Each structure stands twice: as structure tokens, then as C-alpha cells.
């Protein structure tokens, strides 16, 4: 039996860390032992079917369609990722980030700064950067290609083969689940209608697109683009290559080489992964102009936070100083007056670590 109850218990406690106050989480928690036992039986018997999602649209920093899975489905997502991650982690290149342990935005920026020092000989020579983005990435992911990558990887080695059937079944169930067939809409319908057709799953083609908002979608994105990572490192021989989800950055001492790599990357993505580059977002220039990457503006001599990150923190600090508390998990950012004084220690805990770090942290060479 591959889906042990211990695995579900661990996934449950991990899943509820930041979702404990939601209605679905509270309902599940009221009798979590029975719910987990029931969920385990469905997984073992292969009768598990994903439930109803919550669909809404966020407007900041841009319009984006979100499908939030039901809490019990989130537990299953954690179980699957926990099972797959140790094996795929061995395949991933060192400089792919997001949804990886200890490899978030700060780690990516630190690696980029070190690479800039090397390629510019500690700031004494010229170098160039290429930054490309995949057009409507999550809505454009080909489910057939994604599943074939996972299935092929699970078929390698004795350790993979032992649990291949169970993992393939659950992977296929989650990948091919269409949240647009069973959802609850929250918020304004007009916002949903205002989304471009290439930014919504409602207009995605057959077996196309993964929902933004699920842990599995982020993890599958890394698996999907790992083929590009391997191509860049093995075929292009790109020494300084970085990827954060679909934001791809390459450094080189040769400007013309970056132009050639852009064409080859575009052809590879079209042929092997059935996605396209969004050439409107292409950036190509000197590293001394500065690179806008994962929320920071990076120059060989210094690193600054983006204006948007600083503005977010200033807004939060304004409400705290005014005696109001931001209620978590509220899309409308409802404000409630504080009934007791708030200490500096509590304030630091409430403000996101990244925002606080970004506001006060200016890195010098």
C-alpha cells in the first residue's frame, strides 16, 4: 500500500499551516481523523476524484484567474508532491527556482549576484543578459506532454517502478482534472469576462492548461520546463542560466550568442513543449543597465527592491500604524481595528518576511 495514513497526516499538518482559518479547512479539521481515513481509502482503491474548486480573479499586480482547490484536495496535492519531489529533485538543474526547498527568490538573487561578479571580472568588464518569458505559460501547458514526462521518469530505476502504478494514476487524475467543470465563482463575473482568452482556462484548448493556485501546478511547471533547462545546459552550454517558473534569464559575454540562443530556445519550446515565447517581454542588453528579476533590480554593483515591493510594505505599515490589522485570506483586504496594542515583535511576524527584508535591505557590492 503506497498511500500510508502517516503520509496523509503529515501532508495534512503541512497543508493547514496557512489555511487553518478558511471555512473548508475548519470543516475538515472538525473531524480530521475520519476525513483522512476516508481519503486514504479512496487513494488506495483508486476511487479518489478531485472536488469543487473556488474560482476568482485577482487584480493586483495584474488580472489573473485563480482556481483554489478544496482543502481535502490540497492534502492530496501535498501527498503527491512529497512522493515525487525527492526523485525529480535529482533531475533538476541547480539554478531552477520556485517550489523547491531553500531555493526561493533570495537564493536566486544571491546566485545571480555571484554570477555577475564572475562574468564581469568583479565589475571590470562588459557582459550581456537575455530575459525571456513564455506566453500565457500555465494556460498553455500541454497535459499530454506533461504526463508523458512524468510517466517516463517514473519508469526509470527499480525504486520508481515499485510505486509507478500508484503515482502515475494519481498524477494523471490531478493533471487531467478540469476545474472549469466543477467550480464555485467568488467575486465579480465581469472581472472573469475581462480576462484575455489566452489567460483563462475557460478558453484553453483540449487537454491544455493547469490552474494557478495549486501546489501541484507549481511543481509540474518545474517538471515541464526541466526539458528546457537540460537543453540550455547540455546543448547550448549556457554557463549562466537561471529560471524562476517561466521567467528565464541567461548571461553571456557575447551579445550575438544571446541572439542565437533566443532563436534556438524559441524553436525548442515550440517543437518539444508546444509553447511559445512572449517576444513582447523579451529583454536584451548590458548587465550594467540592471536586471529586473524576481522582485529585485540587480546591477553588478548593487541590488535594490522593486518599487512595487516597497510600496506593498509601506501600505501594510501605514495600516498597522493607523491601528488597523490586515485580515489574512481576505481578497478585499478588510480592515479590523486592533483591540490591544501591538508590539514590534508581533508586527515583524505579521508583515511578510520578504516584504520586510526587501524594504530595509539594499545590498552593496
Amino acid at each position: 500500500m503506497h498511500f500510508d495514513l502517516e503520509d496523509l497526516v503529515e501532508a495534512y499538518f503541512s497543508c493547514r499551516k496557512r489555511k487553518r482559518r478558511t471555512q473548508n479547512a475548519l470543516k475538515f479539521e472538525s473531524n480530521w481523523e475520519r476525513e483522512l481515513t476516508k481519503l486514504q481509502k479512496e487513494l488506495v482503491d483508486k476511487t479518489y476524484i478531485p472536488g469543487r474548486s473556488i474560482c476568482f480573479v485577482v487584480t493586483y499586480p495584474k488580472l489573473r484567474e485563480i482556481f483554489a482547490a478544496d482543502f481535502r484536495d490540497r492534502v492530496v496535492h501535498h501527498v503527491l508532491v512529497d512522493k515525487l519531489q525527492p526523485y525529480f529533485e535529482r533531475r533538476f538543474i541547480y539554478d531552477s527556482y520556485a517550489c523547491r526547498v531553500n531555493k526561493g527568490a533570495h537564493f536566486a538573487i544571491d546566485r545571480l549576484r555571484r554570477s555577475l561578479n564572475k562574468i564581469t571580472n568583479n565589475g571590470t568588464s562588459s557582459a550581456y543578459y537575455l530575459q525571456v518569458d513564455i506566453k500565457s505559460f500555465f494556460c498553455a501547458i500541454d497535459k499530454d506532454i506533461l504526463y508523458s514526462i512524468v510517466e517516463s521518469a517514473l519508469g526509470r530505476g527499480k525504486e520508481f517502478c515499485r510505486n509507478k502504478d500508484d503515482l502515475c494514476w494519481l498524477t494523471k487524475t490531478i493533471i487531467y482534472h478540469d476545474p472549469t467543470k466543477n467550480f464555485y465563482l467568488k467575486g465579480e463575473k465581469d472581472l472573469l469576462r475581462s480576462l484575455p482568452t489566452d489567460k483563462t482556462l475557460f478558453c484553453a484548448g483540449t487537454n491544455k492548461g493547469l490552474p494557478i493556485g495549486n501546489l501541484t501546478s507549481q511543481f509540474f511547471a518545474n517538471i515541464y520546463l526541466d526539458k528546457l533547462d537540460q537543453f540550455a545546459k547540455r546543448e547550448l552550454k549556457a554557463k549562466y542560466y537561471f529560471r524562476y517558473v517561466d521567467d528565464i534569464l541567461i548571461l553571456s559575454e557575447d551579445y550575438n550568442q544571446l541572439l542565437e540562443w533566443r532563436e534556438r530556445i524559441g524553436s525548442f519550446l515550440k517543437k518539444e513543449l508546444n509553447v511559445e515565447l512572449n517576444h513582447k517581454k523579451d529583454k536584451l542588453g548590458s548587465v550594467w543597465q540592471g536586471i529586473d528579476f524576481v522582485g529585485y533590480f540587480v546591477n553588478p554593483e548593487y541590488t535594490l527592491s522593486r518599487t512595487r515591493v516597497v510600496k506593498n510594505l509601506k501600505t501594510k505599515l501605514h495600516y498597522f500604524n493607523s491601528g488597523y490589522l490586515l485580515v489574512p485570506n481576505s481578497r478585499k483586504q478588510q480592515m479590523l481595528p486592533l483591540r490591544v496594542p501591538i508590539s514590534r515583535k508581533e508586527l515583524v511576524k505579521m508583515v511578510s518576511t520578504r516584504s520586510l527584508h526587501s524594504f530595509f535591505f539594499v545590498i552593496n557590492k
Side-chain angles (χ1 to χ4, degrees), residues 67-81:
F67 279 94
D70 187 71
F71 185 80
R72 75 191 302 268
D73 294 325
R74 290 178 179 271
V75 174
V76 175
H77 294 172
H78 276 260
V79 170
L80 180 61
V81 171

Side-chain angles (χ1 to χ4, degrees), residues 121-308:
N121 295 316
N122 291 323
T124 61
S125 60
S126 300
Y128 305 92
Y129 78 97
L130 168 67
Q131 197 168 12
V132 294
D133 183 84
I134 297 176
K135 185 177 181 180
S136 306
F137 175 59
F138 279 98
C139 286
I141 290 176
D142 190 307
K143 295 183 178 182
D144 294 333
I145 294 176
L146 172 60
Y147 179 70
S148 68
I149 294 173
V150 177
E151 185 181 36
S152 175
L154 292 178
R156 299 172 186 167
K158 296 180 180 179
E159 192 170 7
F160 284 89
C161 294
R162 186 167 61 239
N163 302 312
K164 179 182 176 181
D165 291 342
D166 290 337
L167 292 178
C168 280
W169 165 77
L170 185 54
T171 299
K172 190 172 186 178
T173 299
I174 292 176
I175 288 178
Y176 285 96
H177 171 65
D178 185 356
T180 65
K181 303 299 183 184
N182 184 17
F183 69 95
Y184 168 66
L185 181 62
K186 294 187 70 175
E188 301 176 12
K189 291 184 179 180
D190 290 340
L191 283 177
L192 195 62
R193 297 191 188 102
S194 64
L195 285 167
T197 56
D198 62 337
K199 297 290 186 181
T200 172
L201 291 181
F202 291 99
C203 298
T206 305
N207 291 336
K208 280 291 196 75
L210 294 180
I212 298 175
N214 290 343
L215 173 65
T216 48
S217 297
Q218 300 174 47
F219 181 68
F220 287 146
N222 272 345
I223 294 177
Y224 197 74
L225 290 180
D226 179 63
K227 292 188 71 173
L228 172 63
D229 299 340
Q230 301 300 332
F231 172 75
K233 302 299 287 187
R234 298 173 186 271
E235 299 295 329
L236 301 183
K237 306 295 183 182
K239 183 177 181 180
Y240 302 108
Y241 170 92
F242 311 86
R243 181 179 61 79
Y244 193 95
V245 192
D246 64 326
D247 192 355
I248 301 157
L249 174 66
I250 311 178
L251 308 180
S252 176
E253 298 172 348
D254 188 342
Y255 184 89
N256 292 324
Q257 186 179 60
L258 291 176
L259 289 174
E260 177 190 345
W261 283 351
R262 180 173 62 178
E263 296 303 316
R264 295 184 63 182
I265 287 174
S267 298
F268 178 86
L269 288 172
K270 183 73 174 177
K271 180 180 178 181
E272 299 293 332
L273 298 177
N274 197 23
V275 293
E276 298 178 358
L277 291 178
N278 185 355
H279 290 296
K280 292 181 180 179
K281 293 186 177 181
D282 288 355
K283 297 178 182 179
L284 183 61
S286 170
V287 297
W288 292 97
Q289 297 172 349
I291 304 171
D292 186 354
F293 189 59
V294 297
Y296 292 88
F297 186 78
V298 187
N299 184 286
E301 294 184 333
Y302 57 84
T303 300
L304 298 174
S305 298
R306 289 181 62 183
T307 304
R308 188 179 75 197

Side-chain angles (χ1 to χ4, degrees), residues 100-113:
R100 296 182 68 186
V101 178
N102 298 324
K103 287 199 173 183
H106 291 158
F107 185 82
I109 289 300
D110 184 63
R111 287 283 295 175
L112 176 57
R113 290 183 62 247

